[in-house]
Amino acid sequence: MAADLALELPGGGYPILVRHEAVAECAARVAEIAGAASVIVISDETVWALHGPTLLGALGAVGVQAAPLTVPPGEAAKDLAIVARLYDEAFAAGVDRGTILVAFGGGVVGDVAGFVAATLLRGLRFVQVPTTLLAQVDSSVGGKVGVNHARGKNLIGAFHQPALVFADTAWLRTLPPRSLRAGLAEVVKHGLVARPALLAEAPAALRAWERGEPEAMALLVASAIEVKAEVVRGDVFEAGQRALLNLGHTLGHAIEAAHPGVLEHGEAVALGIACAAERSEVRGLVSPAERQVVLETLAACGLDTAWRPWISPSVLDKVANDKKIRGQYVNDVLLSGLGRCQIDSVTLAAWRRTVTGLAADPVEA
Ligand SMILES: NC(=O)c1ccc[n+]([C@@H]2O[C@H](COP(=O)([O-])OP(=O)(O)OC[C@H]3O[C@@H](n4cnc5c(N)ncnc54)[C@H](O)[C@@H]3O)[C@@H](O)[C@H]2O)c1
């Protein structure tokens, strides 16, 4: 299965290639972009131990001698101290303004390496080679890069588009099942924002993948990327519609920030989506049956939807640090159907009241 997609943007877009088992082509594409320039690969220690030699070998076969730099696995790598170390190591490896950075890993690597690419020497070209489902369907596309701050997630960053996204589902074979399921939360999110067919396709692709049939997963990745690319194309700097992709993220980010390292990003987003679906029903924006479809879809993807136990003063405090807060207003996202969402701008106090109220007084299933 091969899908050649693109994100067209004013001033030039970039190809997004979805493949299964195509490391040689990936290396050839990187070589083509680099030309005579040097290449630095940034990965995390886990991905590098599993797949570094394969990628380096493929790059070597097309004449690219890449310098590898690694960061520790996990969210803690999204840190300015790590970025500073990567700057030092890149200089030691001889980086210049023509150098191509390759982000080889999950969303964490893509965000950190992309931030290095956005800032080092006032901006380097970079290639996203995502190795988690979440990174393939979401974070590698759209150019949001950055790191966390003690006050909250993703508070330091930039918009810096890659020169190429090369999503090869073969890398997912070594992904722990838990991380694969977490990635499906972002697929469900894309379905709820714009493509309801994904709601049935996501659990079906998971089942097929578990049976050793990769085709449906590659198709799912391509379909989910199309949604992301379409939304980003219409609103590159998140002045409007792109904010709909934050469905489930206000609560999800707050849970992640209050309990670092406990949940994967996609797992926290799934809890946020479940809460948003219930709030949408209370507001009369979706029917009880539609809310039930959302919860059942997440559950069929192996994701927990029991968000109530996570509501605590520390989680509610973290919502105040969300980067979508404007003044006292939270720009959250609610469903207005299956495949349609809307921005819900409410005061922080009202948001907290609604969520704590709903947590104490569940909607009947
Ligand atoms: N920039 C964006 O638009 C955007 C969008 C969504 C999420 N994000 C960010 O993405 C991050 C989450 O990404 P993630 O879920 O990919 O997490 P991650 O990058 O931490 O990867 C999860 C774990 O899987 C391991 N891993 C990666 N690929 C593997 C493979 N092929 N085989 C075995 N193990 C592998 C990693 O080492 C890590 O331990 C969060 O920081 C989130 O904020 C960014």
Side-chain angles (χ1 to χ4, degrees):
M1 182 275 170
D4 288 19
L5 312 173
L7 177 46
E8 286 116 27
L9 297 170
Y14 48 93
I16 304 167
L17 307 179
V18 184
R19 300 284 187 271
H20 186 73
E21 215 136 30
V23 68
E25 185 190 347
C26 178
R29 300 270 183 175
V30 170
E32 196 178 304
I33 291 169
S38 61
V39 173
I40 293 177
V41 180
I42 299 181
S43 189
D44 76 28
E45 287 152 10
T46 303
V47 173
W48 196 250
L50 287 164
H51 301 300
T54 306
L55 184 65
L56 270 194
L59 287 169
V62 290
V64 174
Q65 303 310 319
L69 306 181
T70 57
V71 300
E75 188 68 23
K78 283 177 59 170
D79 187 284
L80 278 179
I82 298 272
V83 170
R85 173 166 71 67
L86 289 170
Y87 291 152
D88 293 345
E89 292 177 358
F91 282 123
V95 67
D96 62 36
R97 295 198 66 183
T99 299
I100 303 296
L101 295 192
V102 176
F104 182 48
V108 165
V109 166
D111 282 9
V112 180
F115 187 68
V116 170
T119 49
L120 188 56
L121 298 173
R122 293 212 166 90
L124 300 173
R125 287 182 301 157
F126 84 117
V127 173
Q128 289 270 19
V129 183
T131 64
T132 63
L133 180 61
L134 183 139
Q136 296 192 347
V137 298
D138 196 355
S139 59
S140 62
V141 175
K144 275 204 214 173
V145 296
V147 295
N148 301 328
H149 184 273
R151 285 183 72 92
K153 261 182 74 81
N154 300 335
L155 296 183
I156 299 163
F159 288 96
H160 187 62
Q161 302 292 342
L164 164 72
V165 179
F166 197 99
D168 186 336
T169 45
W171 303 121
L172 305 180
R173 282 201 198 107
T174 53
L175 196 63
R178 178 180 173 186
S179 301
L180 191 76
R181 294 194 294 266
L184 289 175
E186 301 282 15
V187 177
V188 172
K189 179 195 77 179
H190 289 359
L192 291 170
V193 168
R195 190 170 288 191
L198 287 171
L199 303 183
E201 289 163 6
L206 176 63
R207 301 282 101 80
W209 182 265
E210 287 167 346
R211 289 194 303 269
E213 298 161 15
E215 179 80 7
M217 190 59 79
L219 287 169
L220 187 79
V221 167
S223 182
I225 289 176
E226 275 174 355
V227 173
K228 173 93 188 231
E230 191 58 40
V231 174
V232 172
R233 188 180 295 127
D235 177 22
V236 180
F237 297 107
E238 200 168 307
Q241 288 300 97
R242 186 168 178 177
L244 298 177
L245 295 174
N246 293 323
L247 173 67
H249 282 59
T250 301
L251 180 58
H253 277 171
I255 292 172
E256 276 188 281
H259 303 279
V262 176
L263 292 181
E264 293 206 14
H265 176 70
E267 292 172 329
V269 168
L271 296 171
I273 293 174
C275 176
E278 294 199 29
R279 289 174 47 224
S280 307
E281 184 195 336
V282 169
R283 290 270 295 274
L285 297 168
V286 296
S287 67
E290 287 172 320
R291 187 250 309 182
Q292 202 52 33
V293 169
V294 177
L295 299 183
E296 284 170 6
T297 302
L298 291 168
C301 292
L303 291 158
D304 188 13
T305 57
W307 56 273
R308 289 185 171 74
W310 293 92
I311 302 305
S312 66
S314 64
V315 167
L316 294 172
D317 273 357
K318 290 289 181 189
V319 175
N321 297 337
D322 194 281
K323 71 179 180 330
K324 299 178 291 302
I325 298 262
R326 297 284 179 276
Q328 270 308 298
Y329 282 83
V330 183
N331 288 317
D332 202 4
V333 183
L334 292 180
L335 303 175
S336 38
L338 296 178
R340 265 179 308 131
C341 289
Q342 63 183 58
I343 301 294
D344 184 51
S345 196
V346 290
T347 64
L348 185 55
W351 192 94
R352 286 177 171 150
R353 256 196 324 274
T354 310
V355 171
T356 39
L358 194 56
D361 186 16
V363 175
E364 286 308 311

